[in-house]
Amino acid sequence: MMWRHNISNISDKKMLATSPPPVVILVVQADQYDWSSIFSGTTLNDGREVKVVQVGWQDIIIHSDTYSTDSRLIVEVRKSHLENMTVFPNFVLIRNEVMTPSFDGRQLLSGLMFSDVPSINSLQSIYLSNDRAAMMGYLHRINRKLGDEFPVI
């Protein structure tokens, strides 16, 4: 038998029927900084609530499909063998380095780039920060275009 939620008030029924799904922000930050409390109670102008999923690079597996008409980014979160979830993020906020001496998460970043998910600080700029020669080449390209307005040191 399936469990059903009992709705006694007609306005509750309307609210459930018209409530848009929340916007999911995937925050990549492994320390104890609590982004959920920062966004707690936040809604967008269209009334959608903001849901935060905070993880470290080591805790996620990225699946991306851009071949269908409904391109999806699927993130599997595995913090422990007991705590697993699947997330469909609408936005990404990256607060931890992609590469450390003990971890290389560039393949995860590439998956985010492939899915074209929006983020603060472009995913391209985060990727380029891992390869100094590529980053400097890109900066010199901008300098050639803008001249003295964009000096490169």
Side-chain angles (χ1 to χ4, degrees):
M1 181 166 123
M2 290 185 66
W3 180 81
R4 294 175 190 244
H5 183 71
N6 183 12
I7 301 174
S8 57
N9 186 331
I10 192 84
S11 65
D12 290 342
K13 288 180 188 176
K14 286 181 183 175
M15 189 175 82
L16 283 176
T18 61
S19 297
V23 171
V24 178
I25 299 176
L26 178 70
V27 178
V28 181
Q29 184 169 3
D31 60 24
Q32 298 303 314
Y33 203 82
D34 187 6
W35 286 92
S36 292
S37 65
I38 292 171
F39 283 98
S40 178
T42 302
T43 57
L44 300 182
N45 290 340
D46 63 4
R48 291 184 295 168
E49 155 181 357
V50 174
K51 177 184 175 188
V52 173
V53 176
Q54 184 172 343
V55 296
W57 285 112
Q58 295 90 338
D59 302 327
I60 59 175
I61 298 172
I62 305 279
H63 304 279
S64 183
D65 171 20
T66 61
Y67 298 110
S68 64
T69 56
D70 181 26
S71 63
R72 296 294 294 219
L73 169 63
I74 303 169
V75 178
E76 289 185 32
V77 178
R78 297 181 175 177
K79 289 190 175 184
S80 71
H81 69 285
L82 297 175
E83 186 182 351
N84 296 329
M85 73 171 98
T86 301
V87 180
F88 302 95
N90 302 97
F91 192 84
V92 177
L93 172 61
I94 298 176
R95 301 288 299 163
N96 283 146
E97 295 82 9
V98 177
M99 288 178 57
T100 65
S102 62
F103 180 78
D104 184 353
R106 287 179 293 179
Q107 74 283 5
L108 297 168
L109 180 59
S110 292
L112 294 174
M113 292 173 74
F114 182 77
S115 71
D116 200 27
V117 64
S119 67
I120 288 288
N121 288 348
S122 72
L123 296 176
Q124 180 184 18
S125 70
I126 295 167
Y127 188 82
L128 286 172
S129 70
N130 293 300
D131 186 341
R132 187 173 196 91
M135 178 176 52
M136 290 306 293
Y138 194 77
L139 291 173
H140 283 290
R141 179 177 156 203
I142 296 171
N143 173 261
R144 282 190 298 273
K145 184 177 180 181
L146 299 178
D148 292 337
E149 293 178 42
F150 190 85
V152 177
I153 300 172

